Amino acid sequence: NAGVTQTPKFRILKIGQSMTLQCTQDMNHNYMYWYRQDPGMGLKLIYYSVGAGITDKGEVPNGYNVSRSTTEDFPLRLELAAPSQTSVYFCASSYPGLSYEQYFGPGTRLTVT
Amino acid sequence: AQSVTQLDSQVPVFEEAPVELRCNYSSSVSVYLFWYVQYPNQGLQLLLKYLSGSTLVESINGFEAEFNKSQTSFHLRKPSVHISDTAEYFCAVSENQAGTALIFGKGTTLSVSS
Protein backbone atom coordinates (compact mmCIF):
# COMPACT_ATOMS: atom_id res chain seq x y z
CA ASN A 1 0.00 0.00 0.00
CA ALA A 2 1.15 3.54 -0.75
CA GLY A 3 -0.79 4.83 2.27
CA VAL A 4 -1.72 8.52 2.04
CA THR A 5 -0.30 10.41 -0.92
CA GLN A 6 -0.39 14.16 -1.50
CA THR A 7 0.38 16.26 -4.56
CA PRO A 8 2.06 18.58 -5.18
CA LYS A 9 4.92 18.56 -2.67
CA PHE A 10 5.63 22.25 -3.13
CA ARG A 11 3.75 25.14 -4.72
CA ILE A 12 4.11 28.89 -4.96
CA LEU A 13 0.94 30.87 -5.64
CA LYS A 14 0.32 34.52 -6.27
CA ILE A 15 -2.30 36.32 -4.22
CA GLY A 16 -5.75 35.69 -5.67
CA GLN A 17 -4.85 32.53 -7.56
CA SER A 18 -6.63 29.26 -6.89
CA MET A 19 -5.43 25.69 -6.64
CA THR A 20 -6.40 22.23 -5.49
CA LEU A 21 -4.30 20.14 -3.15
CA GLN A 22 -4.79 16.47 -3.90
CA CYS A 23 -5.01 13.70 -1.31
CA THR A 24 -5.52 10.00 -1.98
CA GLN A 25 -5.46 7.01 0.34
CA ASP A 26 -5.51 3.34 -0.62
CA MET A 27 -6.34 1.87 2.78
CA ASN A 28 -10.14 2.04 2.37
CA HIS A 29 -10.38 4.41 5.31
CA ASN A 30 -13.73 6.04 5.95
CA TYR A 31 -12.38 9.12 7.71
CA MET A 32 -10.17 11.73 6.11
CA TYR A 33 -8.84 15.04 7.40
CA TRP A 34 -7.02 18.16 6.29
CA TYR A 35 -4.69 19.94 8.70
CA ARG A 36 -2.44 22.93 8.33
CA GLN A 37 0.82 23.29 10.21
CA ASP A 38 2.29 26.66 11.01
CA PRO A 39 5.61 27.11 12.83
CA GLY A 40 5.22 26.90 16.60
CA MET A 41 1.47 26.37 16.32
CA GLY A 42 1.07 22.63 15.92
CA LEU A 43 -1.55 21.31 13.50
CA LYS A 44 -5.02 22.72 13.13
CA LEU A 45 -7.97 20.96 11.50
CA ILE A 46 -9.36 22.61 8.36
CA TYR A 47 -12.00 20.13 7.18
CA TYR A 48 -12.81 16.48 7.70
CA SER A 49 -14.97 13.80 6.13
CA VAL A 50 -16.55 10.69 7.63
CA GLY A 51 -17.32 9.13 4.27
CA ALA A 52 -18.01 9.79 0.61
CA GLY A 53 -20.41 12.71 0.22
CA ILE A 54 -20.07 13.88 3.83
CA THR A 55 -17.79 16.73 4.88
CA ASP A 56 -17.68 19.11 7.81
CA LYS A 57 -15.72 22.14 8.98
CA GLY A 58 -12.88 21.99 11.41
CA GLU A 59 -11.26 24.72 13.46
CA VAL A 60 -9.94 26.88 10.58
CA PRO A 61 -12.11 26.37 7.45
CA ASN A 62 -12.25 29.94 6.12
CA GLY A 63 -10.77 30.29 2.64
CA TYR A 64 -10.96 26.57 1.87
CA ASN A 65 -13.40 24.12 0.37
CA VAL A 66 -13.46 20.34 0.14
CA SER A 67 -15.36 17.57 -1.59
CA ARG A 68 -15.45 13.81 -1.10
CA SER A 69 -16.90 12.03 -4.13
CA THR A 70 -15.02 8.76 -3.51
CA THR A 71 -13.66 6.93 -0.48
CA GLU A 72 -10.10 7.33 -1.77
CA ASP A 73 -9.90 11.04 -2.61
CA PHE A 74 -10.30 14.16 -0.50
CA PRO A 75 -9.11 17.28 -2.39
CA LEU A 76 -8.71 20.66 -0.68
CA ARG A 77 -9.50 23.76 -2.75
CA LEU A 78 -8.13 27.25 -2.22
CA GLU A 79 -10.22 29.71 -4.22
CA LEU A 80 -8.54 33.09 -3.64
CA ALA A 81 -5.10 32.51 -2.17
CA ALA A 82 -3.96 34.89 0.56
CA PRO A 83 -0.57 35.21 2.30
CA SER A 84 -2.21 33.90 5.50
CA GLN A 85 -2.62 30.56 3.73
CA THR A 86 1.14 30.09 3.49
CA SER A 87 1.59 26.87 5.42
CA VAL A 88 2.30 23.16 5.25
CA TYR A 89 -0.82 21.13 4.58
CA PHE A 90 -1.24 17.56 5.75
CA CYS A 91 -3.89 15.10 4.76
CA ALA A 92 -4.67 12.18 7.07
CA SER A 93 -7.00 9.21 7.16
CA SER A 94 -8.26 6.74 9.73
CA TYR A 95 -10.53 3.74 10.07
CA PRO A 96 -13.11 3.31 12.83
CA GLY A 97 -11.45 0.22 14.24
CA LEU A 98 -9.47 -0.53 17.33
CA SER A 99 -6.34 1.48 16.61
CA TYR A 100 -7.85 4.95 16.16
CA GLU A 101 -4.56 5.90 14.53
CA GLN A 102 -4.51 8.62 11.91
CA TYR A 103 -2.15 8.05 8.99
CA PHE A 104 -0.56 11.17 7.56
CA GLY A 105 0.61 12.04 4.09
CA PRO A 106 4.01 13.68 3.46
CA GLY A 107 2.55 17.18 3.22
CA THR A 108 2.30 20.02 0.70
CA ARG A 109 4.34 23.15 1.36
CA LEU A 110 2.43 26.16 -0.01
CA THR A 111 3.74 29.70 -0.27
CA VAL A 112 1.45 32.58 -1.25
CA THR A 113 3.20 35.79 -2.31
CA ALA B 1 -13.75 20.95 23.90
CA GLN B 2 -10.28 19.59 24.37
CA SER B 3 -6.96 21.38 24.50
CA VAL B 4 -3.36 20.28 24.73
CA THR B 5 -0.41 22.11 26.27
CA GLN B 6 3.14 21.07 25.58
CA LEU B 7 5.12 22.80 28.25
CA ASP B 8 8.47 23.01 26.45
CA SER B 9 8.88 24.30 22.92
CA GLN B 10 12.52 23.18 22.70
CA VAL B 11 14.46 20.54 24.61
CA PRO B 12 18.22 20.26 23.95
CA VAL B 13 19.95 17.19 25.38
CA PHE B 14 23.18 15.29 24.97
CA GLU B 15 23.29 11.82 23.48
CA GLU B 16 22.63 9.01 25.98
CA ALA B 17 21.00 11.39 28.45
CA PRO B 18 17.41 10.82 29.64
CA VAL B 19 14.64 13.10 28.38
CA GLU B 20 11.08 13.96 29.31
CA LEU B 21 8.71 15.86 27.03
CA ARG B 22 5.76 17.19 28.97
CA CYS B 23 2.14 17.20 27.84
CA ASN B 24 -0.97 18.27 29.71
CA TYR B 25 -4.50 18.17 28.37
CA SER B 26 -7.92 19.39 29.33
CA SER B 27 -11.21 17.76 28.42
CA SER B 28 -14.70 17.37 29.82
CA VAL B 29 -15.03 13.87 28.34
CA SER B 30 -12.92 10.74 28.25
CA VAL B 31 -10.10 10.98 25.76
CA TYR B 32 -7.56 9.04 23.77
CA LEU B 33 -3.99 10.33 23.88
CA PHE B 34 -1.27 10.17 21.26
CA TRP B 35 2.33 11.14 20.66
CA TYR B 36 3.36 11.75 17.05
CA VAL B 37 6.91 12.36 15.79
CA GLN B 38 7.87 14.46 12.79
CA TYR B 39 11.35 14.13 11.34
CA PRO B 40 12.64 17.06 9.24
CA ASN B 41 10.67 17.58 6.02
CA GLN B 42 8.46 14.57 6.64
CA GLY B 43 4.90 13.88 7.68
CA LEU B 44 3.79 12.78 11.13
CA GLN B 45 4.23 9.23 12.38
CA LEU B 46 2.48 7.72 15.36
CA LEU B 47 4.93 7.06 18.19
CA LEU B 48 2.55 5.64 20.79
CA LYS B 49 -1.01 5.90 21.99
CA TYR B 50 -3.15 5.43 25.07
CA LEU B 51 -6.68 4.16 24.48
CA SER B 52 -7.47 2.21 27.64
CA GLY B 53 -5.97 -0.33 30.02
CA SER B 54 -2.42 -0.01 31.31
CA THR B 55 -1.54 3.63 31.87
CA LEU B 56 2.07 3.03 30.77
CA VAL B 57 2.49 2.63 27.03
CA GLU B 58 5.69 1.96 25.13
CA SER B 59 6.98 2.41 21.60
CA ILE B 60 9.27 0.07 19.71
CA ASN B 61 12.18 2.51 19.82
CA GLY B 62 12.42 2.94 23.58
CA PHE B 63 10.02 5.80 24.28
CA GLU B 64 7.31 5.44 26.89
CA ALA B 65 4.47 7.63 28.13
CA GLU B 66 2.29 7.42 31.19
CA PHE B 67 -1.33 8.49 31.32
CA ASN B 68 -2.06 10.26 34.59
CA LYS B 69 -5.75 11.02 34.83
CA SER B 70 -5.58 12.96 38.09
CA GLN B 71 -2.91 15.29 36.71
CA THR B 72 -4.33 15.22 33.17
CA SER B 73 -0.87 14.52 31.81
CA PHE B 74 0.71 12.24 29.23
CA HIS B 75 4.45 12.90 29.47
CA LEU B 76 6.85 11.21 27.05
CA ARG B 77 10.12 9.77 28.36
CA LYS B 78 13.18 7.98 27.10
CA PRO B 79 15.98 6.83 29.41
CA SER B 80 18.76 7.27 26.84
CA VAL B 81 18.37 9.29 23.63
CA HIS B 82 20.21 8.95 20.33
CA ILE B 83 21.14 11.52 17.72
CA SER B 84 18.48 9.96 15.50
CA ASP B 85 15.76 10.95 17.99
CA THR B 86 16.19 14.58 16.93
CA ALA B 87 12.74 15.57 15.69
CA GLU B 88 9.60 17.47 16.58
CA TYR B 89 7.19 15.69 18.89
CA PHE B 90 3.48 16.41 19.06
CA CYS B 91 1.09 15.40 21.78
CA ALA B 92 -2.51 15.01 20.62
CA VAL B 93 -5.88 14.21 22.15
CA SER B 94 -9.22 13.10 20.77
CA GLU B 95 -12.58 12.19 22.21
CA ASN B 96 -12.83 8.47 22.83
CA GLN B 97 -14.79 7.60 19.75
CA ALA B 98 -13.73 6.57 16.29
CA GLY B 99 -13.15 9.20 13.66
CA THR B 100 -12.85 12.16 15.98
CA ALA B 101 -10.29 14.68 14.80
CA LEU B 102 -7.10 15.15 16.76
CA ILE B 103 -6.35 18.26 18.79
CA PHE B 104 -2.60 18.88 18.72
CA GLY B 105 -0.25 20.65 21.04
CA LYS B 106 2.17 23.18 19.57
CA GLY B 107 5.01 20.68 19.49
CA THR B 108 8.35 20.18 21.23
CA THR B 109 11.58 20.20 19.28
CA LEU B 110 13.99 17.63 20.68
CA SER B 111 17.60 18.33 19.69
CA VAL B 112 20.11 15.62 20.56
CA SER B 113 23.79 16.47 20.26
CA SER B 114 26.98 14.49 20.82
Side-chain angles (χ1 to χ4, degrees):
Chain A
N1 288 348
V4 180
T5 57
Q6 293 182 238
T7 57
K9 285 187 170 53
F10 304 95
R11 184 72 186 269
I12 298 175
L13 281 182
K14 294 190 184 303
I15 294 171
Q17 287 185 321
S18 61
M19 76 164 293
T20 299
L21 282 66
Q22 302 290 347
C23 174
T24 300
Q25 53 89 11
D26 62 359
M27 298 174 282
N28 202 32
H29 286 172
N30 296 55
Y31 301 101
M32 296 188 73
Y33 314 84
W34 274 106
Y35 296 91
R36 59 177 287 171
Q37 182 183 26
D38 300 300
M41 298 302 295
L43 282 77
K44 295 194 183 295
L45 182 68
I46 305 172
Y47 271 95
Y48 67 99
S49 169
V50 300
I54 306 170
T55 63
D56 208 347
K57 297 178 181 179
E59 184 181 356
V60 290
N62 291 344
Y64 307 95
N65 279 300
V66 294
S67 58
R68 183 96 181 270
S69 56
T70 67
T71 299
E72 295 78 21
D73 301 306
F74 190 40
L76 178 71
R77 178 89 177 155
L78 283 69
E79 291 293 349
L80 292 171
S84 61
Q85 294 177 305
T86 293
S87 188
V88 181
Y89 292 85
F90 288 100
C91 179
S93 70
S94 69
Y95 187 79
L98 295 176
S99 71
Y100 299 98
E101 176 181 353
Q102 290 190 17
Y103 295 79
F104 283 79
T108 294
R109 186 175 295 274
L110 175 67
T111 301
V112 182
T113 61
Chain B
Q2 296 87 40
S3 67
V4 177
T5 302
Q6 291 185 244
L7 296 160
D8 307 292
S9 59
Q10 298 193 20
V11 175
V13 294
F14 288 109
E15 195 173 20
E16 298 183 7
V19 71
E20 178 180 77
L21 307 184
R22 297 177 293 168
C23 173
N24 286 94
Y25 70 94
S26 67
S27 177
S28 58
V29 299
S30 295
V31 296
Y32 297 140
L33 294 156
F34 305 83
W35 276 99
Y36 279 83
V37 59
Q38 184 180 33
Y39 298 104
N41 299 312
Q42 294 188 24
L44 278 73
Q45 304 171 33
L46 181 68
L47 188 60
L48 44 75
K49 61 181 182 274
Y50 171 78
L51 304 180
S52 64
S54 172
T55 57
L56 184 66
V57 291
E58 299 177 353
S59 72
I60 59 172
N61 57 353
F63 283 94
E64 65 179 29
E66 186 160 18
F67 170 55
N68 188 319
K69 188 173 183 179
S70 63
Q71 297 187 10
T72 60
S73 68
F74 192 53
H75 301 331
L76 181 70
R77 302 184 183 94
K78 190 170 185 179
S80 176
V81 295
H82 302 290
I83 298 282
S84 59
D85 292 324
T86 294
E88 190 157 18
Y89 292 79
F90 293 95
C91 182
V93 64
S94 71
E95 291 182 18
N96 63 346
Q97 58 181 344
T100 308
L102 294 168
I103 305 298
F104 285 88
K106 294 184 178 181
T108 297
T109 300
L110 175 63
S111 301
V112 183
S113 57
S114 57

Short mmCIF file of all heavy atoms in Angstrom, two decimals, chain A residues 5-14 17-22 34 78 85-90 105-112, chain B residues 38-43:
data_model
loop_
_atom_site.label_atom_id
_atom_site.label_comp_id
_atom_site.label_asym_id
_atom_site.label_seq_id
_atom_site.Cartn_x
_atom_site.Cartn_y
_atom_site.Cartn_z
N THR A 5 -1.16 9.66 -0.02
CA THR A 5 -0.30 10.41 -0.92
C THR A 5 -0.87 11.79 -1.14
O THR A 5 -2.10 11.97 -1.19
CB THR A 5 -0.12 9.70 -2.27
OG1 THR A 5 -1.40 9.49 -2.86
CG2 THR A 5 0.56 8.35 -2.09
N GLN A 6 0.01 12.76 -1.29
CA GLN A 6 -0.39 14.16 -1.50
C GLN A 6 0.40 14.73 -2.67
O GLN A 6 1.59 14.49 -2.81
CB GLN A 6 -0.11 15.01 -0.27
CG GLN A 6 -0.95 14.67 0.94
CD GLN A 6 -0.65 15.60 2.11
OE1 GLN A 6 -0.27 15.16 3.19
NE2 GLN A 6 -0.85 16.89 1.90
N THR A 7 -0.29 15.51 -3.48
CA THR A 7 0.38 16.26 -4.56
C THR A 7 -0.20 17.66 -4.63
O THR A 7 -1.39 17.87 -4.32
CB THR A 7 0.19 15.57 -5.92
OG1 THR A 7 -1.21 15.41 -6.19
CG2 THR A 7 0.89 14.23 -5.95
N PRO A 8 0.61 18.68 -4.98
CA PRO A 8 2.06 18.58 -5.18
C PRO A 8 2.80 18.60 -3.86
O PRO A 8 2.19 18.76 -2.81
CB PRO A 8 2.35 19.85 -5.98
CG PRO A 8 1.35 20.84 -5.45
CD PRO A 8 0.10 20.04 -5.18
N LYS A 9 4.10 18.45 -3.88
CA LYS A 9 4.92 18.56 -2.67
C LYS A 9 5.18 20.02 -2.32
O LYS A 9 5.24 20.39 -1.15
CB LYS A 9 6.25 17.84 -2.86
CG LYS A 9 6.16 16.33 -2.79
CD LYS A 9 7.53 15.69 -2.83
CE LYS A 9 7.48 14.20 -2.52
NZ LYS A 9 6.53 13.46 -3.34
N PHE A 10 5.36 20.82 -3.32
CA PHE A 10 5.63 22.25 -3.13
C PHE A 10 4.82 23.04 -4.15
O PHE A 10 4.58 22.58 -5.26
CB PHE A 10 7.12 22.58 -3.34
CG PHE A 10 8.05 21.80 -2.49
CD1 PHE A 10 8.64 20.63 -2.97
CD2 PHE A 10 8.36 22.22 -1.22
CE1 PHE A 10 9.51 19.90 -2.18
CE2 PHE A 10 9.24 21.50 -0.43
CZ PHE A 10 9.81 20.34 -0.91
N ARG A 11 4.44 24.28 -3.76
CA ARG A 11 3.75 25.14 -4.72
C ARG A 11 3.89 26.57 -4.26
O ARG A 11 3.79 26.87 -3.06
CB ARG A 11 2.27 24.77 -4.81
CG ARG A 11 1.48 25.54 -5.86
CD ARG A 11 1.81 25.14 -7.27
NE ARG A 11 1.14 25.98 -8.24
CZ ARG A 11 -0.06 25.72 -8.76
NH1 ARG A 11 -0.71 24.63 -8.41
NH2 ARG A 11 -0.60 26.55 -9.62
N ILE A 12 4.12 27.46 -5.23
CA ILE A 12 4.11 28.89 -4.96
C ILE A 12 2.95 29.49 -5.72
O ILE A 12 2.83 29.29 -6.94
CB ILE A 12 5.44 29.55 -5.37
CG1 ILE A 12 6.60 28.94 -4.57
CG2 ILE A 12 5.37 31.06 -5.16
CD1 ILE A 12 7.97 29.44 -5.01
N LEU A 13 2.10 30.22 -5.03
CA LEU A 13 0.94 30.87 -5.64
C LEU A 13 1.05 32.37 -5.49
O LEU A 13 1.63 32.87 -4.50
CB LEU A 13 -0.35 30.43 -4.95
CG LEU A 13 -0.99 29.08 -5.25
CD1 LEU A 13 -2.28 28.94 -4.46
CD2 LEU A 13 -1.26 28.94 -6.74
N LYS A 14 0.48 33.08 -6.43
CA LYS A 14 0.32 34.52 -6.27
C LYS A 14 -1.01 34.80 -5.59
O LYS A 14 -1.96 34.02 -5.70
CB LYS A 14 0.39 35.21 -7.63
CG LYS A 14 1.75 35.09 -8.31
CD LYS A 14 1.82 35.98 -9.53
CE LYS A 14 3.13 35.80 -10.27
NZ LYS A 14 4.30 36.07 -9.41
N GLN A 17 -4.77 33.74 -6.74
CA GLN A 17 -4.85 32.53 -7.56
C GLN A 17 -5.58 31.43 -6.80
O GLN A 17 -5.76 31.50 -5.58
CB GLN A 17 -3.44 32.06 -7.95
CG GLN A 17 -2.77 32.92 -8.99
CD GLN A 17 -1.43 32.35 -9.43
OE1 GLN A 17 -0.66 31.82 -8.62
NE2 GLN A 17 -1.14 32.48 -10.72
N SER A 18 -5.97 30.40 -7.52
CA SER A 18 -6.63 29.26 -6.89
C SER A 18 -5.85 27.99 -7.21
O SER A 18 -5.07 27.95 -8.17
CB SER A 18 -8.06 29.13 -7.38
OG SER A 18 -8.08 28.91 -8.78
N MET A 19 -6.06 26.98 -6.38
CA MET A 19 -5.43 25.69 -6.64
C MET A 19 -6.12 24.61 -5.81
O MET A 19 -6.88 24.91 -4.86
CB MET A 19 -3.94 25.70 -6.29
CG MET A 19 -3.62 25.64 -4.82
SD MET A 19 -1.90 25.21 -4.48
CE MET A 19 -1.82 23.52 -5.07
N THR A 20 -5.87 23.38 -6.21
CA THR A 20 -6.40 22.23 -5.49
C THR A 20 -5.25 21.36 -5.01
O THR A 20 -4.37 21.00 -5.80
CB THR A 20 -7.33 21.39 -6.38
OG1 THR A 20 -8.43 22.19 -6.79
CG2 THR A 20 -7.84 20.18 -5.61
N LEU A 21 -5.25 21.07 -3.73
CA LEU A 21 -4.30 20.14 -3.15
C LEU A 21 -4.95 18.75 -3.17
O LEU A 21 -6.08 18.58 -2.68
CB LEU A 21 -3.96 20.51 -1.70
CG LEU A 21 -2.98 21.66 -1.46
CD1 LEU A 21 -3.57 22.98 -1.93
CD2 LEU A 21 -2.62 21.74 0.02
N GLN A 22 -4.22 17.81 -3.74
CA GLN A 22 -4.79 16.47 -3.90
C GLN A 22 -4.37 15.56 -2.75
O GLN A 22 -3.25 15.66 -2.23
CB GLN A 22 -4.34 15.85 -5.22
CG GLN A 22 -4.71 16.65 -6.45
CD GLN A 22 -6.20 16.64 -6.73
OE1 GLN A 22 -6.97 15.87 -6.16
NE2 GLN A 22 -6.64 17.55 -7.61
N TRP A 34 -8.01 17.21 6.75
CA TRP A 34 -7.02 18.16 6.29
C TRP A 34 -6.59 19.03 7.46
O TRP A 34 -7.44 19.60 8.16
CB TRP A 34 -7.56 19.06 5.19
CG TRP A 34 -7.45 18.49 3.81
CD1 TRP A 34 -8.44 17.98 3.04
CD2 TRP A 34 -6.25 18.38 3.03
NE1 TRP A 34 -7.94 17.55 1.84
CE2 TRP A 34 -6.60 17.80 1.81
CE3 TRP A 34 -4.91 18.74 3.24
CZ2 TRP A 34 -5.67 17.54 0.79
CZ3 TRP A 34 -3.99 18.49 2.24
CH2 TRP A 34 -4.36 17.90 1.04
N LEU A 78 -8.33 25.88 -2.63
CA LEU A 78 -8.13 27.25 -2.22
C LEU A 78 -8.62 28.12 -3.36
O LEU A 78 -8.11 28.03 -4.49
CB LEU A 78 -6.66 27.57 -1.96
CG LEU A 78 -6.01 27.10 -0.67
CD1 LEU A 78 -5.86 25.59 -0.65
CD2 LEU A 78 -4.68 27.78 -0.46
N GLN A 85 -2.49 31.98 4.04
CA GLN A 85 -2.62 30.56 3.73
C GLN A 85 -1.27 29.89 3.45
O GLN A 85 -1.21 28.70 3.14
CB GLN A 85 -3.58 30.35 2.57
CG GLN A 85 -5.01 30.73 2.92
CD GLN A 85 -5.97 30.60 1.77
OE1 GLN A 85 -5.74 31.17 0.69
NE2 GLN A 85 -7.04 29.86 1.96
N THR A 86 -0.20 30.67 3.55
CA THR A 86 1.14 30.09 3.49
C THR A 86 1.30 29.14 4.67
O THR A 86 1.18 29.55 5.83
CB THR A 86 2.21 31.19 3.53
OG1 THR A 86 2.12 31.97 2.34
CG2 THR A 86 3.61 30.58 3.64
N SER A 87 1.57 27.87 4.36
CA SER A 87 1.59 26.87 5.42
C SER A 87 2.01 25.53 4.84
O SER A 87 2.23 25.41 3.63
CB SER A 87 0.18 26.73 6.04
OG SER A 87 0.20 25.90 7.19
N VAL A 88 2.13 24.54 5.70
CA VAL A 88 2.30 23.16 5.25
C VAL A 88 0.99 22.43 5.52
O VAL A 88 0.46 22.49 6.63
CB VAL A 88 3.46 22.45 5.97
CG1 VAL A 88 3.62 21.03 5.44
CG2 VAL A 88 4.75 23.23 5.80
N TYR A 89 0.48 21.79 4.50
CA TYR A 89 -0.82 21.13 4.58
C TYR A 89 -0.64 19.62 4.62
O TYR A 89 0.05 19.04 3.79
CB TYR A 89 -1.68 21.52 3.37
CG TYR A 89 -2.07 22.98 3.40
CD1 TYR A 89 -1.22 23.95 2.90
CD2 TYR A 89 -3.28 23.38 3.96
CE1 TYR A 89 -1.56 25.30 2.95
CE2 TYR A 89 -3.63 24.71 4.01
CZ TYR A 89 -2.76 25.66 3.51
OH TYR A 89 -3.12 26.99 3.58
N PHE A 90 -1.30 19.00 5.60
CA PHE A 90 -1.24 17.56 5.75
C PHE A 90 -2.63 16.96 5.62
O PHE A 90 -3.60 17.45 6.22
CB PHE A 90 -0.67 17.17 7.11
CG PHE A 90 0.81 17.43 7.24
CD1 PHE A 90 1.27 18.55 7.90
CD2 PHE A 90 1.73 16.54 6.69
CE1 PHE A 90 2.62 18.81 8.02
CE2 PHE A 90 3.08 16.79 6.80
CZ PHE A 90 3.53 17.92 7.45
N GLY A 105 -0.15 11.91 5.31
CA GLY A 105 0.61 12.04 4.09
C GLY A 105 1.87 12.85 4.33
O GLY A 105 2.08 13.37 5.43
N PRO A 106 2.72 13.00 3.30
CA PRO A 106 4.01 13.68 3.46
C PRO A 106 3.90 15.19 3.49
O PRO A 106 4.87 15.87 3.82
CB PRO A 106 4.80 13.22 2.23
CG PRO A 106 3.75 12.93 1.21
CD PRO A 106 2.58 12.39 1.96
N GLY A 107 2.75 15.74 3.13
CA GLY A 107 2.55 17.18 3.22
C GLY A 107 2.76 17.91 1.91
O GLY A 107 3.45 17.43 1.00
N THR A 108 2.12 19.07 1.81
CA THR A 108 2.30 20.02 0.70
C THR A 108 2.72 21.35 1.30
O THR A 108 2.00 21.90 2.14
CB THR A 108 1.01 20.20 -0.11
OG1 THR A 108 0.66 18.99 -0.76
CG2 THR A 108 1.18 21.31 -1.15
N ARG A 109 3.86 21.85 0.87
CA ARG A 109 4.34 23.15 1.36
C ARG A 109 3.89 24.22 0.38
O ARG A 109 4.31 24.22 -0.78
CB ARG A 109 5.86 23.15 1.50
CG ARG A 109 6.42 24.41 2.14
CD ARG A 109 7.93 24.28 2.34
NE ARG A 109 8.26 23.23 3.30
CZ ARG A 109 8.31 23.40 4.61
NH1 ARG A 109 8.05 24.59 5.13
NH2 ARG A 109 8.63 22.40 5.40
N LEU A 110 3.02 25.12 0.84
CA LEU A 110 2.43 26.16 -0.01
C LEU A 110 2.90 27.53 0.44
O LEU A 110 2.84 27.86 1.63
CB LEU A 110 0.91 26.10 0.06
CG LEU A 110 0.15 27.19 -0.69
CD1 LEU A 110 0.36 27.03 -2.19
CD2 LEU A 110 -1.33 27.17 -0.36
N THR A 111 3.35 28.31 -0.52
CA THR A 111 3.74 29.70 -0.27
C THR A 111 2.88 30.60 -1.13
O THR A 111 2.78 30.37 -2.35
CB THR A 111 5.22 29.94 -0.59
OG1 THR A 111 6.02 29.06 0.21
CG2 THR A 111 5.61 31.38 -0.29
N VAL A 112 2.26 31.60 -0.52
CA VAL A 112 1.45 32.58 -1.25
C VAL A 112 2.13 33.93 -1.15
O VAL A 112 2.36 34.45 -0.06
CB VAL A 112 0.02 32.66 -0.69
CG1 VAL A 112 -0.81 33.65 -1.51
CG2 VAL A 112 -0.64 31.29 -0.68
N GLN B 38 7.67 13.94 14.14
CA GLN B 38 7.87 14.46 12.79
C GLN B 38 9.35 14.70 12.57
O GLN B 38 9.93 15.60 13.20
CB GLN B 38 7.08 15.76 12.58
CG GLN B 38 7.18 16.30 11.17
CD GLN B 38 6.39 17.59 10.99
OE1 GLN B 38 6.27 18.39 11.91
NE2 GLN B 38 5.84 17.79 9.80
N TYR B 39 9.95 13.91 11.70
CA TYR B 39 11.35 14.13 11.34
C TYR B 39 11.41 15.23 10.29
O TYR B 39 10.42 15.49 9.59
CB TYR B 39 11.98 12.84 10.85
CG TYR B 39 11.99 11.76 11.91
CD1 TYR B 39 11.09 10.70 11.87
CD2 TYR B 39 12.89 11.82 12.97
CE1 TYR B 39 11.07 9.75 12.86
CE2 TYR B 39 12.89 10.85 13.96
CZ TYR B 39 11.97 9.83 13.91
OH TYR B 39 11.96 8.87 14.91
N PRO B 40 12.55 15.90 10.15
CA PRO B 40 12.64 17.06 9.24
C PRO B 40 12.11 16.75 7.85
O PRO B 40 12.45 15.73 7.25
CB PRO B 40 14.14 17.35 9.23
CG PRO B 40 14.61 16.90 10.58
CD PRO B 40 13.80 15.67 10.89
N ASN B 41 11.23 17.64 7.37
CA ASN B 41 10.67 17.58 6.02
C ASN B 41 9.87 16.30 5.76
O ASN B 41 9.81 15.82 4.62
CB ASN B 41 11.78 17.71 4.98
CG ASN B 41 12.50 19.04 5.10
OD1 ASN B 41 11.87 20.08 5.19
ND2 ASN B 41 13.82 19.00 5.14
N GLN B 42 9.29 15.75 6.81
CA GLN B 42 8.46 14.57 6.64
C GLN B 42 7.09 14.79 7.28
O GLN B 42 6.86 15.78 7.96
CB GLN B 42 9.14 13.34 7.27
CG GLN B 42 10.44 12.92 6.59
CD GLN B 42 10.96 11.61 7.14
OE1 GLN B 42 10.21 10.79 7.67
NE2 GLN B 42 12.26 11.40 7.00
N GLY B 43 6.20 13.85 7.03
CA GLY B 43 4.90 13.88 7.68
C GLY B 43 4.99 13.35 9.10
O GLY B 43 6.07 13.06 9.61
#
